[in-house]
Amino acid sequence: MAPTVLGILNVTPDSFSDGGLYRDQAAAFNRATEMVAEGADIIDIGGESSRPGASPVSAEEELARVLPVVEAVADVAPVSIDTRHEQVARAAVAAGAQVINDVSASLGPVAAELGVGWICVHMQGEPATMQDGPRYRDVLDEVIAFLDAKANEAKALGVSRLWVDPGFGFGKELDHNVTLLANLHRLVDTGWPVAVGTSRKSMVGQLLARSDGADEAVPVDDRLVGSVVTASYALSCGVDLVRAHDVKATRQAVSVVTGRSPTQSRSS
């Protein structure tokens, strides 16, 4: 099957890239339909920012943000719910979500019970503090071992559709991210479907700055090239799913890497 493109839709005031843009239900729905037209296979709806330094929100607030949007978007496209809270995951699935995108890597049993897909993300620490000096003995071995164990547990519980995600930027310095990116084939070789999200992240801004010989990371709005290049590299390693803010460009990258037209990719 062709790789899946997951379009990012944050209905938050503080996400690092699109925070505040789609808090209005109509704006969120319009953006979702736009991403579907651009080639998104799944719309990933999040109501709590997981950017570095983000403060947690209550499950009640998260539900108020996401449920109306999930209900509306589920009528026009498959939906994943980006959450680490069981209450939110259950309510979103009841409202039509088909996948739980889980940065806490704790909701496998919920996905199994509800019969939905699960994206298991590696994160060291919590969003508020995860970038406060993250440390690893061997980031590649530790991330792979963690994800492999979680995936085996989920499969044993009955989760039939799952992806493992190395969690770029989630409790990782730039060198950790680069090591994971350069060795994505090792994670693919585990046999589990792999999801990758580098879109517009700080690692991309830092790598673009390095390429220009600059000290300051390239601003979020100027990270398209780096986002598409890292997604393309991930696809060439055999990754099954890429998360993207810039869906049209990412879908084009899928077509270039796989040799399929956008229509062929989405129908495969």
Side-chain angles (χ1 to χ4, degrees):
M1 293 182 64
T4 297
V5 175
L6 186 151
I8 300 168
L9 180 62
N10 290 311
V11 289
T12 61
D14 57 344
S15 291
F16 78 93
S17 180
D18 57 355
L21 294 179
Y22 307 115
R23 294 186 71 186
D24 175 80
Q25 183 179 346
F29 181 79
N30 288 339
R31 177 56 185 151
T33 56
E34 182 179 53
M35 286 194 288
V36 171
E38 291 175 346
D41 300 297
I42 303 173
I43 304 300
D44 189 47
I45 299 172
E48 179 187 47
S49 175
S50 55
R51 62 175 174 78
S55 299
V57 301
S58 68
E60 291 73 22
E61 174 64 22
E62 190 179 350
L63 283 168
R65 294 175 180 178
V66 301
L67 279 188
V69 180
V70 170
E71 290 172 351
V73 175
D75 286 337
V76 298
V79 168
S80 63
I81 180 67
D82 182 353
T83 188
R84 54 192 178 133
H85 297 125
E86 180 176 345
Q87 180 182 348
V88 175
R90 289 183 178 278
V93 170
Q98 300 176 22
V99 177
I100 300 171
N101 182 13
D102 175 17
V103 298
S104 73
S106 67
L107 299 177
V110 177
E113 178 188 337
L114 300 179
V116 296
W118 184 49
I119 303 174
C120 173
V121 183
H122 178 277
M123 176 173 64
Q124 186 181 97
E126 299 288 323
T129 59
M130 63 187 178
Q131 292 306 107
D132 296 345
R135 295 179 180 275
Y136 298 87
R137 293 182 303 277
D138 185 310
V139 65
L140 184 62
D141 286 348
E142 289 178 46
V143 169
I144 289 175
F146 175 87
L147 292 173
D148 187 51
K150 288 290 185 178
N152 275 303
E153 291 171 6
K155 183 178 180 180
L157 290 171
V159 178
S160 59
R161 187 184 184 202
L162 66 86
W163 297 263
V164 294
D165 184 331
F168 290 105
F170 290 116
K172 298 168 184 77
E173 302 286 5
L174 179 60
D175 288 349
H176 298 141
N177 291 319
V178 169
T179 296
L180 290 168
L181 185 66
N183 293 280
L184 271 176
H185 62 281
R186 287 270 308 277
L187 186 55
V188 171
D189 286 347
T190 64
W192 301 112
V194 176
V196 162
T198 58
S199 180
R200 300 187 186 177
K201 287 187 174 178
S202 61
M203 64 173 283
V204 171
Q206 292 170 305
L207 290 172
L208 287 170
R210 278 187 180 182
S211 72
D212 293 335
D215 295 327
E216 296 294 326
V218 170
V220 170
D221 291 343
D222 292 333
R223 297 176 184 173
L224 174 61
V225 170
S227 298
V228 173
V229 167
T230 52
S232 299
Y233 175 77
L235 291 165
S236 74
C237 292
V239 163
D240 291 86
L241 180 152
V242 289
R243 297 181 75 242
H245 297 88
D246 303 289
V247 170
K248 183 177 180 179
T250 305
R251 174 55 69 187
Q252 290 172 329
V254 170
S255 298
V256 170
V257 172
T258 63
R260 300 168 182 250
S261 69
T263 301
Q264 288 175 319
S265 293
R266 296 180 67 188
S267 62
S268 297

